[in-house]
Amino acid sequence: MVDPVRVAVIGSGPAGLYSAEALVKQSGGTVRVDVIDRLPTPYGLVRYGVAPDHTSIKSIARYLQRVLEDNAVRFLGCLELGTDITREDLLSCYDAVVYATGAMVDRRLGVPGEDLPGSVAATDFVNWYCGHPDAADHAFDLGVEDVAVIGVGNVAVDVVRILAKSADELRSTDVPQQVLDALAASRVRRVHLIGRRGPAQAKFTTKEARELGELPGAGIHVDPADLALDPADAAHAERDRKVRGNLAVLAGWTGEPPADRPRRIDVRFWRAPVEIVGTGRVEALRLERTRPDGAGRVVGTGEFETLPAGLVLRSVGYQSVPLPGVPFDERASIVPNDGGRVVGPDGAPVPREYVAGWVKRGPTGVVGTNKSDAAETVARLLADLEKERPAAPVRSVEDLLAERGLATVAYRDWLNLDAAEQELARSLGRGERVKLARWDAMRAACTPT
């Protein structure tokens, strides 16, 4: 009897779970998959990146849950690559490995003052309000009145919306209770959303933009002059439905917002951060006006302004980080690959190693993009195994974990944590769940007494 093919998938976000699903389906059920994650919780960015008030997007977890419930798939949580288990360990225990670890850090601005207290990566703020255990003890100064959010993508818009909403509007969401308490005490009154380019290059979706304009407690404004288009942008808008939709929404924000709203959002295009100003901590943000150069880029005009800001959140793009021992392209911030096959410095495929998701292609696309991306990677993996199956793994991962005394979180343990969060919500009179965000509380909930 031929032993089943065993594949490790590193990362339990959409890219990892779509890879696991494709492995089972494309192989006809002959592959056994271990989905390995350093956290005790599955679903990755669906749990820790999607804004808590976007419940329809978060419902994707219900689809991904079915992948973990397949008998051919096993969840191994609280197992970290590079700390608990190495690349060499994986290759000794499995026929193949798929890395699907996503993009975990924000790109830097590269301006003076960026490391002042109060200058923060948006991912840290998102992790905090989404209940990521690494961010449970993070503190953000919400006692300031002015906040600047740099970037005009969906993550930046999410951050602005969370800052501009009242705690009552977020009470029915799954934000941890300590986060809700901090937002309830917030003194933030003005939020600036800042884009280096113009409105035709904004990355947020029209739906996200509309949500900003519909907040009952926040007025929103954009300078009509910022919406002027040069011929190239006008032609781009003519071709692109999303751009036309964004421009229509933005045009509705040019009037002065009602003065009785407790908070205000100012959207500012054509401004590049050049310095974060402060003595000991962030006090202001210095910006330079920009303009199109006619070649698809923007250049500074030499005209500067300084905005008061006690908190600056940068959201100018995600990037992946190197995986211990795995080839990495520092410039592109991805694992170099050919359609999902990892390639080495010489450009030749690295046997038995594959990638999927953002670590494969960069932070592009939506959650669903990962499904076709994973299918491509898995098709190559199975074709390679059919052509030449490697020698049987030298040991089992169970033996390896036992040798090192490593206890992992199984899917049934995650279900205990899931139930504890739902019970917490009921006890607090809040929505469907309230996230546990501290490592000790999460581990305790996984194995209730």
Side-chain angles (χ1 to χ4, degrees):
M1 183 175 179
V2 178
D3 290 335
V5 171
R6 298 192 178 277
V7 178
V9 174
I10 313 303
S12 67
L17 291 178
Y18 284 135
S19 295
E21 179 185 47
L23 281 162
V24 174
K25 287 185 174 180
Q26 290 188 33
S27 70
T30 61
V31 170
R32 297 294 178 265
V33 185
D34 283 347
V35 177
I36 296 172
D37 203 295
R38 76 179 187 89
L39 297 175
T41 54
Y43 311 134
L45 210 60
V46 173
R47 180 176 167 94
Y48 294 120
V50 174
D53 55 349
H54 279 177
T55 53
S56 62
I57 301 175
K58 293 171 78 68
S59 67
I60 293 169
R62 286 196 287 272
Y63 178 91
L64 299 176
Q65 176 181 340
R66 295 200 294 269
V67 179
L68 289 172
E69 291 173 346
D70 192 298
N71 290 332
V73 178
R74 180 170 59 168
F75 178 64
L76 299 177
C78 285
L79 189 60
E80 185 172 7
L81 176 63
T83 301
D84 301 315
I85 193 167
T86 67
R87 174 195 187 194
E88 291 72 22
D89 291 331
L90 291 170
L91 293 171
S92 73
C93 296
Y94 294 96
D95 294 292
V97 180
V98 179
Y99 304 104
T101 51
M104 296 175 284
V105 298
D106 274 286
R107 295 184 183 277
R108 290 178 60 84
L109 297 171
V111 301
E114 188 169 9
D115 293 319
L116 281 170
S119 169
V120 184
T123 46
D124 291 341
F125 191 68
V126 170
N127 283 341
W128 174 70
Y129 68 63
C130 283
H132 196 294
D134 289 349
D137 293 321
H138 286 186
F140 302 92
D141 187 358
L142 301 181
V144 302
E145 292 195 356
D146 291 88
V147 177
V149 179
I150 301 170
V152 284
N154 282 340
V155 173
V157 171
D158 284 345
V159 167
V160 170
R161 194 178 63 257
I162 296 299
L163 287 167
K165 278 191 167 184
S166 68
D168 283 342
E169 291 174 275
L170 295 169
R171 193 170 303 281
S172 64
T173 71
D174 61 8
V175 297
Q177 186 61 40
Q178 65 267 28
V179 171
L180 190 67
D181 293 342
L183 292 171
S186 170
R187 295 180 58 198
V188 173
R189 294 296 174 263
R190 188 164 183 165
V191 185
H192 304 276
L193 180 64
I194 299 163
R196 186 171 64 90
R197 293 175 176 268
Q201 288 78 40
K203 299 298 185 183
F204 52 70
T205 62
T206 303
K207 181 179 182 294
E208 289 259 2
R210 285 199 191 101
E211 288 182 59
L212 277 189
E214 294 168 354
L215 297 178
I220 189 164
H221 179 259
V222 61
D223 187 336
D226 282 1
L227 302 184
L229 303 179
D230 68 3
D233 283 346
H236 176 45
E238 197 66 34
R239 296 188 303 269
D240 193 312
R241 181 179 178 182
K242 189 199 85 168
V243 174
R244 292 197 304 275
N246 284 352
L247 292 172
V249 172
L250 292 166
W253 299 344
T254 55
E256 192 62 25
D260 61 348
R261 302 282 177 90
R263 288 178 174 141
R264 173 179 172 129
I265 301 166
D266 283 292
V267 183
R268 297 169 176 267
F269 294 106
W270 303 115
R271 289 166 174 84
V274 293
E275 183 181 5
I276 297 173
V277 181
T279 304
R281 63 161 296 107
V282 171
E283 297 171 6
L285 177 65
R286 191 163 183 252
L287 301 168
E288 181 179 14
R289 292 283 308 205
T290 60
R291 62 172 177 80
D293 69 352
R297 296 181 295 273
V298 296
V299 294
T301 65
E303 179 185 349
F304 298 90
E305 62 180 303
T306 301
L307 290 178
L311 179 64
V312 174
L313 296 160
R314 68 177 185 272
S315 181
V316 292
Y318 286 126
Q319 64 184 50
S320 297
V321 297
L323 301 171
V326 181
F328 193 73
D329 183 335
E330 295 283 353
R331 185 170 182 179
S333 295
I334 60 171
V335 172
N337 68 95
D338 176 16
R341 292 186 182 100
V342 175
V343 299
D346 60 355
V350 177
R352 302 196 290 136
E353 294 183 84
Y354 303 82
V355 283
W358 281 0
V359 76
K360 168 186 173 183
R361 68 181 190 274
T364 61
V366 295
V367 172
T369 307
N370 292 295
K371 190 164 190 175
S372 57
D373 178 279
E376 176 190 55
T377 293
V378 167
R380 282 165 168 73
L381 183 158
L382 295 175
D384 291 346
L385 288 178
E386 186 175 349
K387 186 185 303 181
E388 183 180 358
R389 183 168 178 179
V394 299
R395 56 181 168 176
S396 71
V397 70
E398 292 84 1
D399 288 344
L400 175 67
L401 298 177
E403 288 170 14
R404 296 182 184 173
L406 294 171
T408 60
V409 168
Y411 180 67
R412 63 181 178 275
D413 302 320
W414 148 246
L415 291 180
N416 291 332
L417 171 54
D418 183 46
E421 292 184 339
Q422 294 178 51
E423 176 56 35
L424 180 58
R426 285 191 289 271
S427 71
L428 295 171
R430 287 186 51 196
E432 293 184 6
R433 79 168 59 242
V434 172
K435 284 179 181 169
L436 295 172
R438 298 191 182 280
W439 280 103
D440 55 353
M442 295 170 76
R443 289 193 180 102
C446 285
T447 53
T449 55

